[in-house]
Amino acid sequence: MNMKNILACAVALLSVCVAEARLSVGPLFGDGMVLQQQEEVNVWGWAEARQAVTVKASWGVRSKCVADNTGRWQTKLKTPRATFEPGSVEIACGKEKIVINDVLIGEVWFASGQSNMEMPLKGFAGCPTAGSNDYISLSGRYAGKIRFVTVPTSPQKVPTDTVTVRWEDCNPKSAASFCAVAYFFGIRLQEALGCPVGLINSSLGATRVEGWTPRELLEGYKDIDLGEAVFDQVGKVKPAYNIQRDLPLVFYNGMIHPFVGYGIKGFLWYQGEANVSYQCERYAERFVNMVGEWRKRWAMGDLPFYYVEICPFEYWWVKPPIMSCLLREQQLKAQSMLPNMGMVSTNDLVADYEYWQIHPSMKKEVGDRLCYWALAEAYGIEGVACKNPTFKSMTIEGSKAMIDFNDAAEGFDRNVRIEGFEICGPDSVFHKARVGTSGSRVSVEASEVKEPIAVRYCYKPFAKGNLKSVYGLPVVPFRTDDFPLVK
């Protein structure tokens, strides 16, 4: 047999082997994975239609199922308490077998959103993460304790089940490129709970909430075009932009749908800037619709969903820019619309020069505050504060406006040099205010205002607040008026 025939036979044999190798697993099931502790986690994949599949774990449990007519199979696997001892999972179907090694059991969180979530620990060009090199250099201490998955940019016209991802152990190389907010969340969570942590980041800059929303919801939004022509842009490269980011649906299809059902403890979300100029007044409704649908599809109950307020920034493309404040109002509103929701405020986490920087550098504080929500609410650790002080009510006492707050029972961190408050009288002209504190009450006044009718706090596109609870959690920006923002 000559060389040409030998090669032809080899190719034919390889083709037969590939055709027969039908057993596969979902994208997150691979070496180094972290499984949610003390749960019956879903395990799924594909095999020959109507064939039996057995899943066996090294910790002594097994499960069986039968692939459906399309070849998809899914079963549940009971996990033990968290452990740093690596385990394994074996999946078998007939003569085929897949073995997943180095499996840890711990706490798993899923992060998503736009560029402030996407921003890596090493930062973007011109947008550093504060202290990045220090944190990168120390990240090796979490080897074997924290593991990451970064989902590649993958917009899809229709829901897809497969995408190539891999788990990475924490070290300076992997940490440098991983999402900064989720990294800081993860290291605080790991230190607080003392168990392995798995972090999955699926985010992309400049995307709207509608881009992460399933079709079934979008079909009810009259402004959303789901016609075929809209999705002709998917996959087309655009100069200096890569892909069209304002499309609806496609990021859910390609970057969320493949992972639906993977065992997690909860979600982290940092998005909203792209909606400042698009359906801003409907953001709360659309955001909680998305959250509710994600929870429904994961089928793990009302999974915790902790999210971040948009950053102080000039928002120059919004006319007038103060309209961006409506988005913050919508974000705060969303917190009370569904159970297990928590918002992190960020009005104190900017430097003066960052008024033109939509990716502020202080990401550690954001991750920490998200983790406070998780520790206090998801894990029930008493003593950890997580809720920002929010406006409760206003009363007028002579020339002073007295403001009462929620979640400030122990008072504030200062009673002098409080910045960010404004007050107005019947002419609706706001003036910088003098402020004092007494317990959870704040007095606001200005010499120009004899008959106050309204107060605002950090109600500007870019405004740094410095009033916080005794736990260091900032007062959420607010206004007591309902004046038109466009005159």
Side-chain angles (χ1 to χ4, degrees), residues 3 24 41 44 93 103 105 110 114 129 152 155 172 244 288-289 322 324 328 345 401 427 439 450 454 466 476:
M3 183 59 67
S24 62
V41 298
W44 70 86
C93 179
V103 178
I105 310 297
F110 193 101
Q114 59 180 108
T129 299
Q244 187 170 339
V288 299
N289 284 349
I322 197 172
S324 62
R328 294 195 186 101
S345 186
D427 60 0
K450 305 303 181 184
N466 67 355
V476 177

Side-chain angles (χ1 to χ4, degrees), residues 251-315:
F251 306 108
Y252 171 82
N253 284 345
M255 300 174 68
I256 301 297
H257 182 82
F259 314 110
V260 167
Y262 190 84
I264 61 175
K265 185 67 174 182
F267 299 98
L268 309 174
W269 177 259
Y270 198 163
Q271 188 276 337
E273 293 88 350
N275 279 92
V276 165
S277 58
Y278 184 78
Q279 298 294 333
C280 178
E281 70 283 358
R282 298 181 180 177
Y283 185 82
E285 174 191 354
R286 294 190 173 186
F287 175 44
V288 299
N289 284 349
M290 184 202 79
V291 173
E293 191 64 22
W294 284 19
R295 287 173 169 174
K296 177 182 176 182
R297 295 182 181 218
W298 248 267
M300 295 181 67
D302 291 328
L303 287 169
F305 206 107
Y306 306 134
Y307 60 100
V308 186
E309 176 188 59
I310 60 170
C311 64
F313 180 70
E314 286 296 339
Y315 296 100

Side-chain angles (χ1 to χ4, degrees), residues 32 183 191 236 243 315 378:
Y183 176 79
E191 291 177 355
K236 292 184 178 180
I243 61 171
Y315 296 100

Side-chain angles (χ1 to χ4, degrees), residues 120-421:
L121 185 55
K122 64 184 177 182
F124 293 136
C127 310
T129 299
S132 60
N133 212 35
D134 288 341
Y135 297 116
I136 291 168
S137 68
L138 295 174
S139 60
R141 65 174 64 176
Y142 300 103
K145 299 178 180 179
I146 298 178
R147 291 178 177 174
F148 316 127
V149 169
T150 300
V151 178
T153 300
S154 181
Q156 299 290 333
K157 297 180 182 180
V158 297
T160 183
D161 290 322
T162 60
V163 61
T164 301
V165 297
R166 64 187 178 92
W167 288 91
E168 297 183 279
D169 198 23
C170 187
N171 57 56
K173 182 178 180 181
S174 63
S177 298
F178 188 68
C179 157
V181 168
Y183 176 79
F184 290 124
F185 171 91
I187 63 174
R188 183 164 293 277
L189 188 69
Q190 198 285 315
E191 291 177 355
L193 300 182
C195 72
V197 171
L199 301 168
I200 304 158
N201 176 35
S202 182
S203 53
L204 182 64
T207 51
R208 297 171 177 169
V209 70
E210 292 85 0
W212 301 95
T213 301
R215 175 180 286 272
E216 288 78 359
L217 286 175
L218 296 174
E219 287 175 343
Y221 299 164
K222 294 181 179 180
D223 58 292
I224 297 295
D225 183 359
L226 296 175
E228 189 65 27
V230 174
F231 302 106
D232 288 344
Q233 302 302 315
V234 176
K236 292 184 178 180
V237 175
K238 298 179 181 298
Y241 197 57
N242 187 28
I243 61 171
Q244 187 170 339
R245 311 289 181 103
D246 60 359
L247 291 174
L249 177 63
V250 297
F251 306 108
Y252 171 82
N253 284 345
M255 300 174 68
I256 301 297
H257 182 82
F259 314 110
V260 167
Y262 190 84
I264 61 175
K265 185 67 174 182
F267 299 98
L268 309 174
W269 177 259
Y270 198 163
Q271 188 276 337
E273 293 88 350
N275 279 92
V276 165
S277 58
Y278 184 78
Q279 298 294 333
C280 178
E281 70 283 358
R282 298 181 180 177
Y283 185 82
E285 174 191 354
R286 294 190 173 186
F287 175 44
V288 299
N289 284 349
M290 184 202 79
V291 173
E293 191 64 22
W294 284 19
R295 287 173 169 174
K296 177 182 176 182
R297 295 182 181 218
W298 248 267
M300 295 181 67
D302 291 328
L303 287 169
F305 206 107
Y306 306 134
Y307 60 100
V308 186
E309 176 188 59
I310 60 170
C311 64
F313 180 70
E314 286 296 339
Y315 296 100
W316 48 267
W317 64 88
V318 184
K319 305 300 180 186
I322 197 172
M323 293 295 290
S324 62
C325 297
L326 290 179
L327 197 287
R328 294 195 186 101
E329 290 182 340
Q330 290 283 300
Q331 288 182 306
L332 180 59
K333 179 181 178 181
Q335 185 174 251
S336 62
M337 294 173 69
L338 288 177
N340 295 337
M341 299 278 282
M343 188 189 81
V344 165
S345 186
T346 63
N347 66 82
D348 62 323
L349 299 182
V350 287
D352 291 337
Y353 67 87
E354 290 183 314
Y355 67 93
W356 209 248
Q357 177 54 271
I358 203 165
H359 305 119
S361 63
M362 287 183 267
K363 292 295 188 282
K364 181 179 186 299
E365 293 82 355
V366 175
D368 287 346
R369 290 174 185 178
L370 286 168
C371 193
Y372 299 151
W373 272 102
L375 295 174
E377 299 292 318
Y379 298 102
I381 298 178
E382 295 183 7
V384 177
C386 64
K387 297 180 180 179
N388 296 88
T390 57
F391 170 75
K392 181 180 181 181
S393 62
M394 180 180 72
T395 56
I396 303 299
E397 297 181 3
S399 61
K400 293 182 179 181
M402 310 302 293
I403 309 296
D404 288 296
F405 290 87
N406 301 303
D407 299 306
E410 296 181 58
F412 297 98
D413 68 332
R414 65 183 63 210
N415 53 26
V416 295
R417 295 189 177 180
I418 298 170
E419 301 291 338
F421 280 89

